[in-house]
Amino acid sequence: MAEPKENLQMEKIVSLCKRRGFVFQSSEIYGGLNGFWDYGPLGAELKRNVKELWWHAMTRQRDDVAGLEATIIMSPKIWEASGHVATFSDPMIDCKTCKGRFRADQTDEIACPQKPSKCVNECHGEKTEARAFNLMFQTYVGPTATAADIAYLRPETAQAIFAQFKNVLETSRQKVPFGIAQVGKAFRNEVTPRNFTFRSREFEQMELEFFIKPDEVIEAIHGSVATVPETGHPGEPQPNWGWQAWHHYWVEERVRFYEGIGLSRETLGFHHQTPAELAHYARACTDILFKFPFSKKDAAGNVIGDELEGIAARSDFDLSQHQRFSGKPMGVFDDELRAAWAKLPKEKQDDLWKRYYDHRKNYLTKSAKPDETPEQISQQATNDANGLAKGQYIPHVIEPSAGVDRLILALIANAYSEVTETDDKGKSETRVTMKFHPRVAPIKVAVLPLMKNKPEIVQKAEAVRALLRPWMNVFYDEAGSIGRRYARQDEAGTPFCVTIDFDTLGEKPELLDTVTLRYRDDGKQERLKISELLDFLLSKTR
Ligand code: GAP
């Protein structure tokens, strides 16, 4: 049976990744470890660029976001509070015939260990009942390895942000609305890692928790909550934005980010989670999808895409949980709210109080511990709503949460382009060009001396490399014909090649100290002064 086209495309991508050093199988010499991947020299640069660009866009270019770098292993109480210990699981089933282990919701897509194809299609074995399998990797802290020493490798970076919310608030001089950003490793013992790096067991996340005022607080201070147009970027944040405007803003900001690194809107898709899909505390979640070669099509034949990033409006659930589990207050004090509340008409106060009370009671009821009575819950909700008059509330959160590895895979799939040319002897050759946006490209520029046995040319080329190297990743290559060297750089995705030749040395006096600049995507070449090279390259790659 012919291989579906999209699988062939993935095969080519996986093969290029290994051949050129983007991604290797982890522990390959020992047969690999399912769900774990290493980034080779080009992949490591690509990944570093992506994380750096995210960090830059999310923290340094904004006044309202601070950074955090927390540990991977944290108090296990964090994962009790977050709900991961109780509910972070996938439904798992076993096949009694082939002994394969599958996710109950994905049996039609998973390789059967007995036959290298599909379990349901090939094996049709009887399956066990589905049972919950917790995805967190467990370990022990300290030498005794008893149940009391159990700890987890974090399954998301987000929880450290919530746990450190107060410390960051107090040390960064930020005020709500503001965000805390973190990039780092996350671990999930996925039942079925698949689609190359798309679903891995060890991966990296880039997460922002953006803390906002509850809508009742906005209404108390500003009279009403602003509405923003449903499509397009809503512009600069405004003080009267409620959660919907902020959620919409962050979706659009993130799309802009992806566009800025070469993923056009046409390559992306959106999934607005339905009420049935949403977590009980979430108000909305928009997934930004990328149309991967393995992504499914809808009934009309359009590629749907798979999740690159989720942007969730998580209400005040996370901070509330940590407040309840740690006993430490997670609320903030807002002078503006206190002053505004005192001036509100009684009916407005009552209306806002009741809405805030209902929201808190709803949360407290759903998250109640077994020993909590309805009276205690009502009393707590009353205390929380009374806090508004004193200027106190627990911030709500909008969470744009992206996976680094999925983005790397998207960038690689998006960049992959091949041309097959047949020469006059009928011999055909396929050449691959990785059309990365210059901002993410692993190598920004290749410096190529035309001949390696001409000391003046080599010296000049080395001087050009020395000029550029403090600013960007430069590759120096003097081996092989210039055509082959260009082809190697095209495959690595290097957007610019600079050739130093006899004209650089002044063979044509008017071309002294100029180089040939070659553009990867169309092969066009032009002459540029060495003195203008750095500014040109910086303008294209930053
Ligand atoms: N704090 C929210 C959170 O972790 P998530 O949707 O479970 O939400 C966020 O994960 C992002 O992390 C996903 O959109 C995806 O890009 C990435 N991600 C999640 N699981 C992954 C896995 N097993 N392998 C690679 N990336 C993953």
Side-chain angles (χ1 to χ4, degrees):
M1 202 173 75
E3 195 71 23
K5 216 169 118 239
E6 54 273 22
N7 290 357
L8 279 180
Q9 183 72 1
M10 272 314 289
E11 271 179 28
K12 287 178 184 175
I13 287 171
V14 172
S15 144
L16 174 102
C17 281
K18 178 170 160 66
R19 184 159 49 81
R20 288 313 312 256
F22 284 99
V23 182
F24 305 129
Q25 208 183 2
S26 163
S27 325
E28 193 192 87
I29 57 168
Y30 293 102
L33 188 60
N34 195 9
F36 295 86
W37 300 95
D38 293 343
Y39 288 83
L42 291 179
E45 287 291 343
L46 180 61
K47 209 175 183 198
R48 197 167 276 263
N49 290 343
V50 164
K51 289 190 285 184
E52 195 59 35
L53 286 163
W54 185 91
W55 186 261
H56 201 67
M58 300 299 258
T59 65
R60 295 188 190 147
Q61 285 185 336
R62 303 185 65 98
D63 292 331
D64 56 1
V65 177
L68 179 73
E69 180 139 346
T71 57
I72 285 170
I73 295 178
M74 299 182 281
S75 165
K77 296 207 172 73
I78 288 191
W79 307 110
E80 281 168 34
S82 68
H84 283 80
V85 170
T87 60
F88 192 57
S89 54
D90 275 340
M92 186 176 69
I93 55 171
D94 291 326
C95 173
K96 291 182 181 170
T97 307
C98 74
K99 309 291 177 221
R101 183 156 280 180
F102 313 110
R103 261 175 68 168
D105 48 341
Q106 291 173 356
T107 44
D108 59 333
E109 294 170 2
I110 293 145
C112 166
Q114 254 190 10
K115 299 177 187 171
S117 51
K118 311 283 177 181
C119 184
V120 161
N121 295 343
E122 296 289 323
C123 166
H124 285 286
E126 195 193 333
K127 308 290 185 299
T128 60
E129 286 291 304
R131 60 198 188 285
F133 170 72
N134 195 296
L135 300 186
M136 283 197 293
F137 280 99
Q138 232 178 262
T139 186
Y140 297 97
V141 172
T144 47
T146 66
D149 307 314
I150 288 177
Y152 304 96
L153 303 193
R154 67 182 177 201
E156 60 171 23
T157 59
Q159 292 305 321
I161 296 179
F162 299 122
Q164 292 290 7
F165 169 72
K166 273 302 184 75
N167 276 336
V168 176
L169 180 71
E170 277 154 23
T171 54
S172 64
R173 299 174 63 87
Q174 292 283 357
K175 273 189 177 166
V176 179
F178 82 103
I180 305 176
Q182 181 169 218
V183 179
K185 289 273 187 182
F187 302 81
R188 297 183 189 178
N189 199 1
E190 299 283 358
V191 178
T192 53
R194 61 188 176 135
N195 287 330
F196 198 22
T197 56
F198 181 83
R199 179 169 296 132
S200 311
R201 287 177 164 144
E202 174 174 341
F203 55 98
E204 274 188 276
Q205 290 185 314
M206 306 182 287
E207 297 201 291
L208 171 71
E209 306 303 325
F210 196 82
F211 300 96
I212 58 172
K213 298 177 189 186
D215 279 9
E216 291 83 6
V217 171
I218 297 288
E219 263 191 73
I221 297 172
H222 300 282
S224 63
V225 171
T227 51
V228 295
E230 276 175 25
T231 52
H233 196 290
E236 283 298 301
Q238 298 301 318
N240 58 352
W241 276 7
W243 73 264
Q244 277 169 309
W246 276 112
H247 182 247
H248 182 61
Y249 167 83
W250 276 113
V251 172
E252 290 297 322
E253 278 287 292
R254 298 301 303 139
V255 172
R256 271 191 185 176
F257 175 81
Y258 290 122
E259 288 178 316
I261 56 172
L263 302 182
S264 66
R265 261 184 202 250
E266 296 73 61
T267 67
L268 303 176
F270 297 93
H271 172 67
H272 305 284
Q273 288 190 11
T274 61
E277 290 172 298
L278 283 175
H280 69 83
Y281 48 81
R283 294 185 165 171
C285 185
T286 301
D287 294 337
I288 301 180
L289 317 175
F290 176 78
K291 295 171 187 167
F292 288 97
F294 51 76
S295 294
K296 295 210 174 74
K297 295 191 174 117
D298 64 15
N302 303 311
V303 180
I304 303 167
D306 284 277
E307 182 186 329
L308 208 52
E309 167 161 0
I311 297 126
R314 297 176 62 93
S315 74
D316 52 4
F317 176 77
D318 304 278
L319 289 180
S320 300
Q321 284 292 97
H322 287 299
Q323 174 168 293
R324 275 154 58 70
F325 278 71
S326 70
K328 305 278 179 343
M330 288 288 168
V332 297
F333 170 73
D334 187 330
D335 225 356
E336 209 182 356
L337 168 63
R338 194 174 59 163
W341 191 270
K343 293 187 197 139
L344 287 177
K346 176 83 172 59
E347 316 80 75
K348 186 75 183 169
Q349 284 181 347
D350 289 348
D351 171 42
L352 295 176
W353 189 98
K354 177 77 172 57
R355 275 157 50 196
Y356 196 78
Y357 170 87
D358 286 346
H359 164 69
R360 293 299 300 167
K361 190 170 171 197
N362 189 26
Y363 155 70
L364 291 163
T365 306
K366 286 196 169 135
S367 310
K369 294 178 183 162
D371 58 346
E372 279 174 310
T373 64
E375 292 71 36
Q376 285 172 318
I377 288 172
S378 298
Q379 186 55 55
Q380 184 58 51
T382 303
N383 294 348
D384 292 346
N386 287 346
L388 290 177
K390 299 178 209 147
Q392 287 162 357
Y393 62 87
I394 295 185
H396 284 226
V397 149
I398 307 292
E399 176 194 67
S401 169
V404 181
D405 309 76
R406 285 192 188 175
L407 177 51
I408 298 298
L409 187 55
L411 291 169
I412 288 174
N414 187 60
Y416 189 93
S417 141
E418 60 177 29
V419 189
T420 303
E421 280 164 358
T422 310
D423 65 16
D424 21 348
K425 292 184 194 111
K427 194 173 157 234
S428 61
E429 191 188 14
T430 301
R431 286 193 300 106
V432 174
T433 302
M434 295 299 287
K435 296 188 173 177
F436 291 120
H437 191 288
R439 295 175 80 204
V440 296
I443 301 167
K444 306 298 184 200
V445 60
V447 174
L448 316 173
L450 186 65
M451 303 176 87
K452 65 175 173 192
N453 53 3
K454 288 274 175 243
E456 306 91 311
I457 287 188
V458 170
Q459 270 168 23
K460 204 66 170 178
E462 284 173 351
V464 170
R465 174 178 61 177
L467 168 78
L468 303 176
R469 200 141 69 167
W471 301 93
M472 63 192 72
N473 193 23
V474 183
F475 193 84
Y476 184 88
D477 188 4
E478 53 181 29
S481 74
I482 199 75
R484 289 230 69 81
R485 282 185 267 168
Y486 283 154
R488 281 202 291 267
Q489 291 308 315
D490 289 347
E491 238 186 14
T494 308
F496 306 104
C497 285
V498 162
T499 306
I500 286 80
D501 55 20
F502 291 102
D503 287 337
T504 315
L505 303 179
E507 198 166 273
K508 287 197 198 94
E510 69 278 16
L511 296 183
L512 176 70
D513 281 336
T514 64
V515 291
T516 301
L517 177 77
R518 175 188 180 266
Y519 294 82
R520 174 197 62 202
D521 293 348
D522 56 11
K524 281 204 182 119
Q525 301 189 2
E526 64 188 25
R527 229 41 223 184
L528 197 70
K529 288 185 185 148
I530 292 175
S531 59
E532 290 168 5
L533 196 54
L534 180 60
D535 280 352
F536 169 82
L537 290 171
L538 286 177
S539 74
K540 297 288 180 195
T541 57
R542 292 238 165 140

